[in-house]
Amino acid sequence: MILNASDGIEVVATAEGAQAADVIRDERPDVVLLDIRMPDVDGLTVLRQIQEMPEPPHVAMLTTFDTDEYILTALRSGASGFLLKDTEPEQLAQLVRTLAAGGVVMSPKASRALLRSHPGAVAPQDADTARVRLLSDRERDVLILIAEGLSNADIGTRIHLSQGTVKDHVSSILTKLRVTSRVQAALLAERAGVLTRTDDGATRDNRP
């Protein structure tokens, strides 16, 4: 109900256990939210079946953290992340969109559990850097100007885009970075190390 009520998202099917892989083959969804524990067949088995498909969908596992030992196995088996079953409704839709765009989603609690259980198992790639890498080149251009404090109109003038197009880019940036304001987006970009400040206070893109 939550996802069907979200713009741009359609739930094409639900299934349990042994039926899941067949339903996914028939419906060919872009994103699958896969419970770790299901009747008959567990989620890790279904995940392996999904990864054997010619064009597998993006998969995020669901967990309540009584099965922390499965996290590393699932990531190694091709899962694109882990979500809590009590994820807030508005966040859930954003995370599904991130998955559809090829991004990785990981609940902070899942990340901490993985690090506690398997120190060194996660690559030392900063989570903020990973989020910024989800942005297109144009979105990254807009993010740089957001960090300079420019309005949508000023950004449009600077890079020759309509104000409406800039607004769409800003909305996409906030969604992909999983932040709720322009200030948070700018701070995340700086934490990720993709921006530096010049002597005159302007921002510079550290992109190679």
Side-chain angles (χ1 to χ4, degrees):
M1 291 175 62
I2 293 170
L3 292 175
N4 269 329
S6 302
D7 292 339
I9 297 177
E10 178 186 1
V11 178
V12 296
T14 60
E16 292 186 353
Q19 301 175 348
D22 289 337
V23 171
I24 292 166
R25 288 191 188 94
D26 292 341
E27 300 293 340
R28 300 179 62 84
D30 298 307
V31 171
V32 172
L33 301 182
L34 186 60
D35 202 340
I36 289 179
R37 288 183 172 178
M38 297 186 294
D40 304 324
V41 177
D42 64 75
L44 292 176
T45 298
V46 176
L47 175 61
R48 295 187 188 100
Q49 294 171 342
I50 291 173
Q51 294 306 312
E52 293 173 355
M53 297 177 185
E55 296 182 3
H58 303 291
V59 180
M61 308 299 291
L62 300 175
T63 182
T64 54
F65 297 109
D66 56 347
T67 51
D68 290 346
E69 68 273 17
Y70 293 147
I71 296 178
L72 184 58
T73 300
L75 292 175
R76 287 175 172 171
S77 299
S80 295
F82 270 79
L83 301 177
L84 281 175
K85 291 183 178 179
D86 60 356
T87 298
E88 292 294 328
E90 62 273 14
Q91 293 179 339
L92 183 61
Q94 292 181 359
L95 294 172
V96 167
R97 294 187 185 99
T98 298
L99 283 167
V104 175
V105 297
M106 181 71 76
S107 160
K109 289 184 179 179
S111 297
R112 289 193 293 269
L114 179 58
L115 289 171
R116 285 196 305 268
S117 302
H118 305 278
V122 179
Q125 181 186 52
D126 185 86
D128 292 336
T129 301
R131 292 184 194 178
V132 171
R133 287 177 178 171
L134 295 176
L135 304 180
S136 67
D137 287 344
R138 179 57 81 186
E139 288 169 346
R140 187 156 173 164
D141 291 339
V142 172
L143 177 60
I144 295 165
L145 299 179
I146 289 175
E148 290 187 12
L150 272 63
S151 67
N152 287 354
D154 291 337
I155 292 173
T157 299
R158 181 79 68 87
I159 57 178
H160 310 293
L161 294 175
S162 71
Q163 190 168 340
T165 299
V166 173
K167 183 178 179 181
D168 290 341
H169 282 315
V170 171
S171 177
S172 178
I173 289 167
L174 297 183
T175 296
K176 290 182 179 180
L177 298 185
R178 282 184 265 164
V179 296
T180 58
S181 73
R182 299 162 76 97
V183 171
Q184 290 175 349
L187 291 174
L188 186 149
E190 292 195 9
R191 288 199 307 268
V194 297
L195 300 173
T196 57
R197 295 287 180 180
T198 61
D199 291 339
D200 61 1
T203 56
R204 184 179 66 207
D205 186 5
N206 285 340
R207 174 173 38 194

